[in-house]
Amino acid sequence: MIRIAIQSKGRLNEESTALLQEIGIGIDDSKRKFLSKVPNFPMEVLYLRDDDIPQVVSCGTASLGIVGENEVAEKGLDVRVVKKLGFGGCRISLAIPKDSPYEGPQWFNGKRIATSYPRILKQYLDSQGIKAEIEIITGSVEVAPAAGISDAIFDIVSSGGTLVSNGLKEVEKVFFSEAVLIAYPNLSAEDEQMLQTMLFRIDSAIYSRDKKYILMNLPKESVEAATKILPAMRSPTVMPLAAEGWCAMHSVVEEDGIWDKILQLKAIGAEGILVLNIDKIIP
Ligand code: PRT
Ligand code: ZN
């Protein structure tokens, strides 16, 4: 039985749950308790605040965890970062009042900076040779300058909307983060094997993300041009059609930019184009 810690509620909860479900680990989020057993997989799920996940994984209370890289770096504990999971993307940035002139990191010398990430901030300031005062605040860091608590902030930014609505501007992007799968550094052989099973499935889930299956009928002379538009995993599947001079082509395509590709395919004579969702790809 392997134990995984995930965020109980918040920005990473939904996608952590969805990823586990996608790889066949049927956690029932509606019946969530502090600790739940997964019905169809030898796994227990421990629901925690994200701040606590690095700690429980570093001491082995949970063998695995899903958490933001920002929390891993801030806690500075011994955990194994196994895999970037491709969601929960954000950055931790320095931001100052929008009307302050800014010429570079030296601006922060002698200033007070409010943050919930003092460790990452201190590492950055030290690396730049800057001496500033760090004010530790948990929650609503973005109001600190207007409240007179600090001159600047060091906080998570995603769209940047929160900074703008608080009259701040982002001046240094210091740390880039996404959700990661972390593991206890001394996993038992049994847990390591379970982790490898999960990783195989996670790789497939991540690879399949944002990909579509595309089929079309194509004049035979356009196959080469179509292959350039749709590079595919190895090469596209081409099958003859009963109609003379025509074939059917199947391929896998990134969803991003798919409409451009469809236009290009139509321009070389493709007809009856179908785009289908993919459940799983094992590359
Ligand atoms: O209760 P618990 O402690 O578990 O949750 P929490 O409130 O500490 O964290 P939560 O759920 O807000 O975020 C969990 C993780 O999501 C973070 O540790 C990051 O790894 C990641 N993440 C991704 C974000 C954001 N995007 C994000 N935008 N975490 C926080 N924000 C906040 C940010 O603090 C700021 O207030 O969103 C605001 C900025 O957003 P924009 O879009 O306006 O720039
Ligand atoms: Zn938190």
Side-chain angles (χ1 to χ4, degrees), residues 33-107:
K33 293 174 257 163
F34 173 61
L35 187 64
S36 304
K37 208 183 142 341
V38 176
N40 69 344
F41 201 80
M43 175 179 274
E44 278 177 336
V45 182
L46 182 60
Y47 292 94
L48 294 176
R49 288 196 57 190
D50 64 347
D51 315 51
D52 298 330
I53 293 176
Q55 160 83 41
V56 297
V57 174
S58 77
C59 69
T61 303
S63 300
L64 304 176
I66 296 178
V67 69
E69 288 173 290
N70 52 316
E71 287 301 329
V72 176
E74 182 57 29
K75 294 298 178 294
L77 295 165
D78 186 20
V79 295
R80 181 173 143 207
V81 176
V82 182
K83 179 114 205 139
K84 288 183 189 264
L85 299 175
F87 62 87
C90 58
R91 53 196 185 268
I92 315 184
S93 297
L94 281 159
I96 66 172
K98 71 174 187 328
D99 297 328
S100 300
Y102 182 79
E103 276 165 10
Q106 292 307 322
W107 186 95

